Amino acid sequence: LGVAGLAFAGGVFAGPMTAHAAPAVDAKPLAVAVQADKPGVDAGKLIPHGVQGAQSTITLNDEQVGNAKAIIAATKKAGMPERAAVISIGTSLQESKLENLGHLGDRNDHDSLGLFQQRPSSGWGTPEQITDPEYSTMAFLKGLKQVDGWQDMPLTEAAQTVQVSAYPDAYAQWEQQAADLVAQHWNS
C-alpha cells in the first residue's frame, strides 16, 4: 500500500489530500475513558490502545449526529465491528466535521466531496454517490478492509492508509469523540 492509495477490484481508491485539514497532532498515547452509556458496547473495542495526542471535540447539530448514525448503520450493514465505525467517524470528523459537503468553490480541495472528502477523479464514485452517506461510508470501509491489521492500528494510521491525506496525523484528534458517538448510538 503506497502513497498512491489502495487499488483493488472495482477501481482505484486514492483518498483526497485535503488542503483544509488541520496540522498534525502529537502522537503520544493517552489514557481513555469512553462514555459507554449503552449496554453491550465494549469500551475496549472502541479504542483498544488509547487515544493518541490531544483530543478535539465539536458540538454536533442534528444533521451531523444523523450523519454519524448513518456511518454506524453502514458499518453494521457491511458486517464490520464497532472499531470500524470509530475509525470511519473519526475520519469524517477530520475531513468534513461530519457534514456532507458539496463543492466548496475556491475552498474546495480539487473535487473532494461528502463526509469523507472523497474525489470522483480518484475513483471513489460519482459526485452523487460520494455525497450519499451510506455509499461513501461503504466505499471508505471497502478501502479499510484492504488494510492488513487495521483492527489493531491507531485510528490515524488506519484512516491515513485509506485516505492518503496531506496531514496524516490529524485524524488522531477525533478518536475520543468518535468513540463516544459509537458508544452512544451503536445500539440505538
Side-chain angles (χ1 to χ4, degrees):
L1 300 174
V3 175
L6 299 171
F8 49 90
V12 175
F13 281 42
M17 295 186 67
T18 54
H20 62 278
V25 295
D26 184 20
K28 294 178 185 171
L30 300 175
V32 61
V34 175
Q35 300 169 1
D37 59 353
K38 299 283 185 180
V41 176
D42 180 354
K45 290 182 179 177
L46 300 178
I47 306 177
H49 306 292
V51 298
Q52 295 191 352
Q55 295 295 290
S56 296
T57 187
I58 57 171
T59 301
L60 303 178
N61 64 31
D62 290 344
E63 177 187 352
Q64 291 165 305
V65 171
N67 287 330
K69 288 179 178 181
I71 290 171
I72 291 168
T75 303
K76 287 180 176 183
K77 185 175 182 177
M80 295 182 75
E82 293 97 330
R83 180 68 180 154
V86 171
I87 293 168
S88 299
I89 290 172
T91 301
S92 181
L93 279 164
Q94 175 58 30
E95 295 291 352
S96 70
K97 305 299 183 271
L98 282 170
E99 294 178 10
N100 196 7
L101 299 175
H103 195 277
L104 300 175
D106 290 342
R107 295 180 304 136
N108 212 51
D109 180 34
H110 306 284
D111 57 341
S112 300
L113 300 169
L115 294 172
F116 295 90
Q117 288 294 277
Q118 295 159 330
R119 297 177 58 196
S121 64
S122 294
W124 286 98
T126 67
E128 294 76 23
Q129 290 171 321
I130 291 170
T131 54
D132 174 82
E134 180 179 333
Y135 176 91
S136 63
T137 302
M138 294 296 248
F140 176 81
L141 292 170
K142 184 177 180 181
L144 186 62
K145 286 179 185 179
Q146 301 298 313
V147 178
D148 287 336
W150 67 265
Q151 303 92 329
D152 299 318
M153 289 179 179
L155 180 147
T156 198
E157 185 179 338
Q160 172 62 9
T161 304
V162 178
Q163 294 290 101
V164 192
S165 171
Y167 301 99
D169 296 323
Y171 300 106
Q173 68 186 312
W174 301 106
E175 191 159 12
Q176 184 66 61
Q177 186 167 16
D180 291 344
L181 286 164
V182 173
Q184 182 178 2
H185 298 292
W186 185 263
N187 292 321
S188 61

